[in-house]
C-alpha cells in the first residue's frame, strides 16, 4: 500500500485535515521501520487506497526538539510515496520556506494551502495555478475546518501518487547549502546563505502569486483578546479561574454521571447478573468471580470515566484554541525559576489527566535535560486515576471540606514537583541555555472532530486498561482474597491478608498499617484506579454492597485517611507510566530512579502529613 | 538599540543578530529575518517573556534572548 506523509508547521491545521480525510478512523501506530508513534489511517477510495501518516509539526528540517527529530529522520528514510504538505494560508511565506526544504528529499510533493476562508476574509487572493506553475508542485486550496476542497485534494492526491517523476523547480542551492539545512551543527555561512536564498525566492514567488486587495486592513481580533487574556493584572487570575472551572466541571458535573454509573452497577448489573447466573445453575465460586471480582473491579474503574472524559475534553479545548500557548507565555517566568521553560507547563497540566501521554508530550521540549526533569516530576501531577481515591476518602472523612482537602492534595503534588525539579537542577550540566521562542498562534475555534478524537483516544486507552490490566488484577485479587494456603478460605485466612500483613509494617508509621490498605496500595502500582476497585472487592467480600462510610471508618481515622491519600498521590507511578518513562528515556535507569524517588518522597510526606494531622486533631 | 528595549506598541527594523547560532537559526527559520519590521505587542504578566509581532507571526522571546537582536527604531 502506498504511504503518504502529512507534514506541516505546528498549528497549520494538519491534524484537522487528517481528521477530515480519514473521518476519524485513525489509530496510533508505528511508522514502518522506525519506532515512532504517530497517528495513521488507511484511506479507502473507489480507485485507490493508501495509508496516511500524521507526522509531528515542524518549522524546518533541522531537528531541534525530539518531535521535530522524529519527522525529519522519517523524511530522510524516503520510505514513502508522497509528502502532503499543509500550509497555513496565513503564514504562506513560512510554509513555502518548508516546501523548498522538502524538495531536497526529491520525493513527490503535494501542497494543500489551508485556511483559504480566512485568507478570503482578509481579502488576500492566492493564484493557485500560478503558484503551482512556479513551484512545479500542485497546490490545492482547502479549508480543513469547514471541510472545503477536500475532494479536490483527494483527486490531486491520486493523480500525484501515480506520477513517476518529480517536476518541481528547486531553490538553487549548492550541495553544501542543502546539507547545512539538514544538520544541527552546520557551517554558519552556508546556512545563513541558504535560509536567505530560500526566503528571497519565496518572496519573489509570492510577489506574482499573492495579491492583496488594496487598503484592506487585517482585523486582528486576537490582539484584542490577548490584551485581556494575557494582561498584566487579569492574565494570571483568569488562568487560575479557568483551571478552577476545569476542575469544577471535572468534580461536580463528572460526579453526577459517576453516581449514575455507580448506581447502575451496584443496583442493577451486579444483582441481575448474579441472579441470572444462579438461574442457569452456575457454580457459586464462578458467580463470585464474575460478580465480586470482574464486575465490581471493572465497574469501580468505569465509574470514573466521566471525570476523566471531562478533564481531557477541557484540556483538549484549551490546547486547540491556542490558549495553552498563552499559558506557556505567562508561566515562563515561573517555570524558569525551576529551570524549565514555559512550554513545560503543558505536559504538567496534561499530567492532571494522565501522566502517560503527558510524559510523551515532553518531546516538544528542545533541551534533553529539561525533558528529563519534566518527565521525572510529572508523576507528582495528580492524574485522573488518583481522583477517585480522593473523591471517595474525602467525601467520607471530610464531608463538607472534601473539595478543600482534594485541592490540598493537588497543591501538595505540585509542590513536590517543584521541589524535585529544584533538586534535580543541581545535577544539571552547566551547558548553554536553550533559547525559548514560542509562537503565539491566533485564537481559533477548535475543530469538533479533532477535539473529540483526542478525547476518544484517551477514553479508549482508559477502557482498554479497564478491560485488560484491571480485569486481570481484579480476578487475581479476587483469588488472593478468596483462597489461602489451605485452599478456599475466608477473608481472614486468605493469601491477600497474608501478603497485606507482611508489608503492612512499612505503613504503620503512616497510620494505615492495615493489611487492607497495604494490599490495595501494592496492587495500585498496576494502575492507580485499582486502589479503589480493590477496596470495592475487599468490602464486597465482607458482605457490603458498596464502599460505605462505616466500613472505611473502621480502618482509617481522618488523619490516617489523609496520610493515605498523600501516599496515593505521590507513590510509585503506575505500570503504564513506568513503561512510558522507560520508552521515552530509552533506559531502565530512569524508571527505576523514578520508582525509588517517588517512594521516598511519598513515605516522608505521608509521615509528616499524618503527624501533623494528628497534632491538629488534638485541637479540633 | 536592542529588541528588549523596544517599548510596547512601537516598531523597529531588525538590523542584525548577535546571538548564538541555535537561537539565530531558529529565528531565521521561523521567518524572523534581518530587514523585517518588528513590533512589541506586550509583556507577560510576570514581566518576562515579551510578545512580538512581525508581518508573518506572533511570537514571544525572553528579554535576555531579545537583547541579542539589534534594531533600528522607527519613528
Amino acid at each position: 500500500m502506498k504511504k503518504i506523509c502529512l507534514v506541516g508547521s505546528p498549528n497549520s491545521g494538519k491534524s484537522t485535515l487528517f481528521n477530515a480525510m480519514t473521518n476519524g478512523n485513525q489509530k496510533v501506530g508505528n511508522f514502518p521501520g522506525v519506532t515512532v508513534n504517530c497517528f495513521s489511517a488507511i484511506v479507502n477510495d473507489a480507485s485507490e487506497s493508501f495509508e496516511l501518516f500524521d507526522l509531528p509539526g515542524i518549522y524546518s528540517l533541522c531537528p531541534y526538539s525530539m518531535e521535530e527529530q522524529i519527522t525529519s529522520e522519517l523524511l530522510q528514510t524516503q520510505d514513502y510515496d508522497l509528502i502532503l504538505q499543509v500550509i497555513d494560508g496565513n503564514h504562506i511565506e513560512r510554509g513555502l520556506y518548508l516546501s523548498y526544504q522538502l524538495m531536497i528529499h526529491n520525493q513527490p510533493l503535494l501542497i494543500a494551502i489551508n485556511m483559504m476562508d480566512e485568507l478570503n476574509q482578509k481579502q488576500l487572493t492566492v493564484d493557485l495555478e500560478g503558484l503551482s506553475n512556479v513551484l512545479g508542485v500542485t497546490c490545492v486550496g482547502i479549508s480543513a475546518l469547514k471541510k472545503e476542497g477536500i475532494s479536490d485534494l483527494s483527486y490531486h492526491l491520486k493523480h500525484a501518487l501515480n506520477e513517476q517523476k518529480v517536476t518541481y523547480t528547486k531553490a538553487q542551492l549548492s550541495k553544501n547549502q542543502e546539507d547545512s539545512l539538514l544538520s544541527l551543527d552546520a557551517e554558519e555561512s552556508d546556512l545563513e546563505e541558504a535560509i536567505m536564498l530560500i526566503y528571497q525566492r519565496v518572496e519573489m514567488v509570492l510577489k506574482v502569486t499573492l495579491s492583496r486587495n488594496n487598503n484592506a486592513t487585517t482585523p486582528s481580533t486576537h490582539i484584542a483578546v490577548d490584551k485581556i487574556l494575557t494582561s498584566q493584572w487579569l492574565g494570571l487570575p483568569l488562568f487560575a479561574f479557568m483551571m478552577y472551572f476545569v476542575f469544577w466541571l471535572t468534580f461536580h458535573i463528572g460526579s453526577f454521571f459517576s453516581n449514575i454509573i455507580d448506581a447502575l452497577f451496584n443496583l442493577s448489573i451486579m444483582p441481575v447478573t448474579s441472579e441470572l447466573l444462579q438461574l442457569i445453575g452456575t457454580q457459586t465460586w464462578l458467580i463470585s468471580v464474575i460478580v465480586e471480582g470482574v464486575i465490581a473491579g471493572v465497574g469501580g474503574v468505569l465509574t470514573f470515566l466521566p471525570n476523566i472524559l471531562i478533564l481531557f475534553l477541557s484540556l483538549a479545548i484549551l490546547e486547540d484554541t491556542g490558549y495553552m500557548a498563552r499559558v506557556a507565555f505567562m508561566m515562563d517566568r515561573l517555570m524558569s525559576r525551576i529551570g524549565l521553560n514555559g512550554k513545560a507547563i503543558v505536559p504538567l497540566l496534561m499530567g492532571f489527566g494522565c501522566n502517560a501521554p503527558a510524559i510523551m508530550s515532553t518531546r516538544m521540549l528542545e533541551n534533553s535535560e529539561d525533558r528529563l526533569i519534566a518527565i521525572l516530576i510529572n508523576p507528582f501531577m495528580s492524574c485522573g486515576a488518583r481522583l477517585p481515591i480522593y473523591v471517595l476518602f474525602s467525601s467520607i472523612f471530610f464531608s463538607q471540606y472534601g473539595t478543600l482537602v482534594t485541592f490540598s492534595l493537588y497543591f501538595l503534588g505540585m509542590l513536590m514537583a517543584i521541589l524535585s525539579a529544584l533538586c534535580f537542577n543541581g545535577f544539571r550540566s552547566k551547558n548553554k541555555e536553550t533559547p525559548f521562542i514560542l509562537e503565539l498562534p491566533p485564537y481559533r475555534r477548535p475543530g469538533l472532530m479533532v477535539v473529540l478524537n483526542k478525547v476518544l483516544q484517551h477514553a479508549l486507552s482508559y477502557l482498554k486498561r479497564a478491560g485488560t490490566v484491571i480485569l486481570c488484577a481484579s480476578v487475581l485479587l479476587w483469588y488472593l482474597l478468596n483462597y489461602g494456603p489451605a485452599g478456599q478460605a475466608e477473608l481472614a485466612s486468605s493469601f491477600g491478608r497474608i501478603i497485606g500483613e507482611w508489608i503492612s509494617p512499612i505503613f504503620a508509621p503512616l497510620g494505615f498499617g492495615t493489611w487492607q490498605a497495604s494490599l490495595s496500595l501494592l496492587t495500585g502500582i498496576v494502575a492507580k484506579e485499582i486502589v479503589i476497585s480493590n477496596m470495592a472487592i475487599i468490602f464486597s467480600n465482607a458482605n457490603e454492597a458498596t464502599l460505605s462510610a462505616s466500613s472505611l471508618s473502621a480502618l482509617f481515622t481522618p488523619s490516617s485517611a489523609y496520610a493515605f491519600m498523600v501516599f496515593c498521590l505521590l507513590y510509585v507511578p503506575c505500570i503504564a507510566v513506568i513503561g512510558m518513562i522507560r520508552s521515552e528515556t530509552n533506559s531502565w535507569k530512569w524508571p527505576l530512579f523514578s520508582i525509588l524517588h517517588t517512594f521516598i518522597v511519598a513515605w516522608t510526606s505521608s509521615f509528616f502529613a499524618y503527624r501533623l494531622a494528628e497534632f491538629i486533631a488534638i485541637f479540633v | 538599540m536592542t529588541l528588549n528595549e523596544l517599548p510596547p506598541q512601537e516598531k523597529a527594523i531588525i538590523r542584525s543578530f548577535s546571538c548564538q547560532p541555535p537561537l539565530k537559526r531558529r529565528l531565521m527559520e521561523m521567518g524572523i529575518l534581518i530587514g523585517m519590521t518588528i513590533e512589541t505587542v506586550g509583556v507577560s504578566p510576570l514581566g518576562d517573556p515579551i510578545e512580538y509581532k512581525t508581518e508573518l507571526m506572533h511570537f514571544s522571546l525572553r528579554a535576555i534572548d531579545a537583547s541579542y537582536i539589534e534594531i533600528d527604531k522607527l519613528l
Side-chain angles (χ1 to χ4, degrees), chain A residues 322-357:
Chain A
Y323 183 66
M324 274 304 191
R326 272 73 190 183
V327 173
F329 171 63
M330 290 190 287
M331 299 303 283
D332 181 58
R333 189 71 182 264
L334 280 182
M335 297 301 286
S336 71
R337 292 264 163 83
I338 59 167
L340 299 175
N341 71 41
K343 280 184 208 166
I345 192 82
V346 180
L348 291 180
L349 288 179
M350 273 181 78
F352 287 133
C354 176
N355 301 114

Side-chain angles (χ1 to χ4, degrees), chain A residues 83-286:
Chain A
I83 301 173
L84 172 57
Q85 191 202 351
V86 188
I87 292 181
D88 173 357
N90 301 299
H91 297 305
I92 201 160
E93 293 85 354
R94 221 166 57 195
L96 291 179
Y97 172 78
L98 182 59
S99 307
Y100 277 114
Q101 295 209 354
L102 291 170
M103 288 177 192
I104 297 174
H105 287 310
N106 285 318
Q107 288 285 330
L109 182 66
L110 181 70
I111 294 176
I113 300 184
N114 194 11
M115 311 194 200
M116 288 301 269
D117 51 327
E118 286 182 26
L119 280 187
N120 290 340
Q121 273 174 20
K122 287 191 193 166
Q123 313 239 335
L124 286 165
T125 334
V126 186
D127 171 13
L128 289 169
E129 211 184 307
L131 191 60
S132 304
N133 285 334
V134 182
L135 295 173
V137 177
T138 312
C139 300
V140 188
I142 60 163
S143 165
L145 200 60
K146 296 185 176 160
K147 298 200 174 182
E148 286 166 7
I150 306 292
S151 57
D152 196 25
L153 181 65
S154 319
Y155 167 79
H156 286 287
L157 206 58
K158 269 173 243 163
H159 199 70
L161 271 177
N162 294 318
E163 227 160 68
Q164 294 307 319
K165 59 178 177 44
V166 296
T167 50
Y168 35 71
T169 327
K170 294 189 186 185
Q172 272 131 15
L173 301 179
S174 70
K175 184 84 184 77
N176 281 349
Q177 288 169 339
E178 278 190 359
D179 289 344
S180 72
L181 286 169
L182 301 177
S183 84
L184 255 178
D185 37 31
E187 187 74 40
E188 222 179 301
S189 56
D190 282 338
L191 180 71
E192 273 164 39
E193 272 167 30
I195 297 175
M196 291 309 278
L197 270 173
I198 296 182
Y199 267 112
Q200 275 163 16
R201 200 176 178 93
V202 168
E203 202 180 323
M204 261 161 51
V205 167
L206 288 179
K207 211 169 245 170
V208 289
T209 55
L210 186 72
S211 54
R212 196 181 295 265
N213 199 334
N214 274 341
N215 57 30
T217 47
T218 50
S220 43
T221 41
H222 109 255
I223 293 190
V225 179
D226 244 5
K227 281 246 160 68
I228 301 165
L229 286 182
T230 64
S231 71
Q232 204 84 37
W233 303 110
L234 281 174
L236 289 172
L238 278 173
F239 170 55
F241 174 76
M242 242 177 267
M243 287 321 288
Y244 180 81
F245 183 64
V246 167
F247 284 105
W248 180 83
L249 281 179
T250 310
F251 283 83
H252 288 262
I253 309 299
S255 38
F256 170 75
F257 292 104
S258 297
N259 289 338
I260 295 176
I261 297 179
D262 190 45
L264 196 69
F265 266 93
N266 281 315
L267 302 176
S268 60
I269 296 180
M270 280 168 64
V272 168
T273 324
S274 168
E275 266 174 43
L276 272 178
L277 290 172
Q278 264 164 14
L279 265 181
I280 57 167
T282 318
Q283 286 182 344
T284 333
W285 71 268
L286 192 59

Side-chain angles (χ1 to χ4, degrees), chain A residues 239-252 311 352 380-382 386-387 389-391 394-395 398 400-415 562 565-566 569:
Chain A
F239 170 55
F241 174 76
M242 242 177 267
M243 287 321 288
Y244 180 81
F245 183 64
V246 167
F247 284 105
W248 180 83
L249 281 179
T250 310
F251 283 83
H252 288 262
L311 189 61
F352 287 133
F380 290 140
M381 306 312 281
S382 182
R386 277 168 267 184
L387 181 61
I389 308 174
Y390 315 146
V391 173
S394 54
S395 69
F398 302 98
Q400 74 265 39
Y401 303 110
T403 317
L404 190 71
V405 165
T406 309
F407 254 102
S408 76
L409 289 163
Y410 276 87
F411 275 108
L412 182 69
M414 288 188 264
L415 182 71
Y562 191 73
M565 287 192 279
V566 168
L569 162 72

Side-chain angles (χ1 to χ4, degrees), chain A residues 59-60 62 64 68 91 93-94 97 101 180-181 183 191-192 199 222 226 231-232 329-330 332-333 340-341 435-440, chain B residues 9 21-31 33 42-51 53 56-62 65:
Chain A
Y59 290 110
S60 72
C62 173
Y64 296 97
E68 291 163 296
H91 297 305
E93 293 85 354
R94 221 166 57 195
Y97 172 78
Q101 295 209 354
S180 72
L181 286 169
S183 84
L191 180 71
E192 273 164 39
Y199 267 112
H222 109 255
D226 244 5
S231 71
Q232 204 84 37
F329 171 63
M330 290 190 287
D332 181 58
R333 189 71 182 264
L340 299 175
N341 71 41
F436 176 64
I437 308 177
L438 178 74
E439 187 183 355
L440 298 165
Chain B
Q9 273 81 54
L23 174 61
K24 184 175 180 181
R25 176 171 191 176
R26 190 77 188 192
L27 288 167
M28 289 178 80
E29 292 207 303
M30 284 175 97
L33 304 169
V43 178
S44 165
L46 298 171
D48 196 31
I50 306 165
E51 181 177 352
K53 116 183 187 198
L56 301 184
M57 65 187 283
H58 279 255
F59 64 99
S60 86
L61 278 181
R62 287 181 177 167
D65 292 329

